[in-house]
Amino acid sequence: MDISKIPYLSFASSVVSVSIATDADINVHIELTADDGSVVFDNTSKYSPVGGKVELEGIDELVNSSILTLTDESRMLAAGPRSAGIGMKLTAGSNAIVCRMLYMVSVMNSTAAHFAHRIRSRKIYPGQPCPLSVFTAGKQLKVVVGLAYSSGGAARYSEKEISVDSSKDYYTIEAGTEGILAMFNSSDPDVKTIYFYTFTLYNSGGQQLDKMKFTVNPHLPKHAVQFVFLGPYGTPDTITFTGRDTEKQSLDSDFGFAGREYIRLDSALTEEHEANSGWLTREERASVYDLMDSPLAFVLDDGELRRITITDVDSSIVRPTHEPDSLTITWRYSDMRYMRRMAVQPDTGKGHVFPRPPFDKTFE
């Protein structure tokens, strides 16, 4: 892209390279600045033209990697305004631009406001957190939440309007069932009576810009695995695997002689999980690909996010087929300590002969 054509706001993937017309050697200065004013990257290099121009390659990779250093893992599920961009100042000879570049690893050229997710119709389980991010583009926006539920044997529908804070690149809403019930501030409906709910994005003039639908599935399999990961926008996304889950242990170690004894050295017990996605729609499959390629991935474990590393992928899709797609990934905890969490808890009971009252050791 020619340096003069770079817009003020753009996704990194739309500016893969920058072209500068020149017939002589030039100094190129690139400065990347975080929202708090701190300089993340500052470099000046001398370039010689080829064919009457200088081509700067890898701008998108530079921007994305710099933004990743600013990502706060502790805010993966946090609601509110969220940044996933960086300020860039590029000076090349007599040419200079100042712009804001947004994280993006997929092809995205449009900067119109929309929901920063691939899936537009998704399943949701009771109690499952689901951060829903709106790409604001600095525009005045609103989101209307529609809720369909059952009450007194009759179907009902309610709406609630949410104001979007456009002070940063994205605005994140908690779109899980608990967030919805808190939003409507009512015990009627409860999670068991919800049919579905929708999020519709409008501009200040009332024009619909995007819409997402969540259908509540009341039965979450005990073996299901919920992944939370950094999506292609640099914002959190989630997907739940409901297929078969296999846990495997293996012993990684070296062996050698200590005197006359052949012993194990530097042993490490490794625990791996093979999680199958279950049947996937086309949108869900694309989201799983994002999970595979994500630089930050977690599993939701007892309400806490645990960092994981994906070590292998088993994905083979054949056409034509009579069944939906599915795939399997292999992952392990990034922190080895979570493989060896203490399972023993002190018994502070009264020494019952039977596991529960009414009897105690006196049988009285």
Side-chain angles (χ1 to χ4, degrees):
M1 179 181 290
D2 188 272
I3 188 172
S4 62
K5 296 181 179 179
I6 298 177
Y8 174 74
L9 181 68
S10 60
F11 288 102
S13 59
S14 65
V15 188
V16 177
S17 63
V18 176
S19 177
I20 303 134
T22 181
D23 293 323
D25 293 353
I26 58 172
N27 289 323
V28 177
H29 176 236
I30 301 176
E31 181 179 286
L32 301 180
T33 309
D35 291 349
D36 61 2
S38 60
V39 176
V40 180
F41 179 86
D42 191 344
N43 176 262
T44 301
S45 299
K46 189 174 184 178
Y47 291 85
S48 298
V50 176
K53 65 179 180 180
V54 167
E55 197 79 22
L56 304 179
E57 301 285 350
I59 297 297
D60 56 335
E61 295 180 2
L62 172 63
V63 168
N64 285 336
S65 60
S66 299
I67 295 173
L68 277 179
T69 64
L70 304 173
T71 302
D72 185 357
E73 297 181 17
S74 65
R75 297 194 70 251
M76 285 295 287
L77 295 178
R82 180 186 300 270
S83 289
I86 201 165
M88 182 174 76
K89 181 180 180 181
L90 194 157
T91 306
S94 60
N95 300 288
I97 62 161
V98 176
C99 61
R100 183 165 182 81
M101 304 290 287
L102 304 172
Y103 184 94
M104 177 55 67
V105 296
S106 187
V107 178
M108 176 62 71
N109 296 319
S110 173
T111 54
H114 60 279
F115 290 118
H117 302 271
R118 291 193 188 272
I119 304 174
R120 289 295 176 271
S121 180
R122 66 190 306 164
K123 298 184 291 289
I124 192 79
Y125 297 94
Q128 176 185 9
C130 184
L132 175 65
S133 296
V134 180
F135 171 52
T136 66
K139 307 296 183 181
Q140 186 176 352
L141 305 168
K142 67 177 181 179
V143 173
V144 175
V145 184
L147 176 65
Y149 62 99
S150 169
S151 178
R156 299 183 182 277
Y157 180 81
S158 298
E159 285 189 348
K160 182 136 183 124
E161 184 175 312
I162 302 174
S163 297
V164 175
D165 185 345
S166 300
S167 60
K168 294 189 177 181
D169 306 316
Y170 298 90
Y171 183 74
T172 302
I173 304 167
E174 172 48 52
T177 55
E178 292 182 0
I180 288 294
L181 294 177
M183 192 181 302
F184 283 84
N185 193 26
S186 174
S187 59
D188 182 21
D190 62 32
V191 69
K192 295 180 181 179
T193 62
I194 297 176
Y195 297 134
F196 66 87
Y197 50 90
T198 60
F199 288 82
T200 308
L201 180 65
Y202 295 94
N203 63 14
S204 57
Q207 178 185 1
Q208 180 176 323
L209 303 178
D210 205 351
K211 185 175 183 178
M212 291 186 66
K213 180 179 179 181
F214 293 77
T215 302
V216 179
N217 188 333
H219 304 294
L220 177 65
K222 291 183 178 180
H223 62 272
V225 182
Q226 183 182 354
F227 295 96
V228 179
F229 59 96
L230 200 71
Y233 291 84
T235 56
D237 208 340
T238 65
I239 193 163
T240 301
F241 279 26
T242 57
R244 182 177 181 179
D245 181 68
T246 305
E247 181 181 309
K248 295 181 178 180
Q249 285 78 31
S250 60
L251 194 61
D252 296 336
S253 60
D254 296 324
F255 297 88
F257 284 96
R260 293 179 176 272
E261 294 183 346
Y262 188 65
I263 62 173
R264 187 175 66 201
L265 306 171
D266 299 325
S267 63
L269 180 64
T270 301
E271 177 183 290
E272 287 189 332
H273 296 258
E274 291 182 359
N276 182 267
S277 62
W279 285 349
L280 299 170
T281 65
R282 182 179 178 181
E283 288 181 334
E284 289 170 338
R285 188 179 73 242
S287 186
V288 173
Y289 291 162
D290 291 335
L291 166 64
M292 295 176 183
D293 196 40
S294 177
L296 283 175
F298 306 81
V299 293
L300 194 65
D301 186 3
D302 292 331
E304 299 290 335
L305 289 183
R306 308 296 186 196
R307 179 87 180 266
I308 65 167
T309 300
I310 296 175
T311 60
D312 196 14
V313 174
D314 183 6
S315 175
S316 179
I317 298 171
V318 180
R319 299 287 187 268
T321 181
H322 299 293
E323 294 182 352
D325 300 332
S326 69
L327 49 85
T328 300
I329 66 172
T330 303
W331 62 271
R332 64 174 64 176
Y333 288 106
S334 298
D335 190 336
M336 296 285 288
R337 293 174 300 173
Y338 291 119
M339 301 181 193
R340 300 183 177 183
R341 283 174 290 175
M342 295 298 291
V344 177
Q345 295 182 354
D347 184 354
T348 58
K350 298 181 179 179
H352 294 148
V353 175
F354 298 95
R356 294 182 180 179
F359 298 116
D360 60 15
K361 60 186 178 182
T362 65
F363 288 90
E364 294 179 355

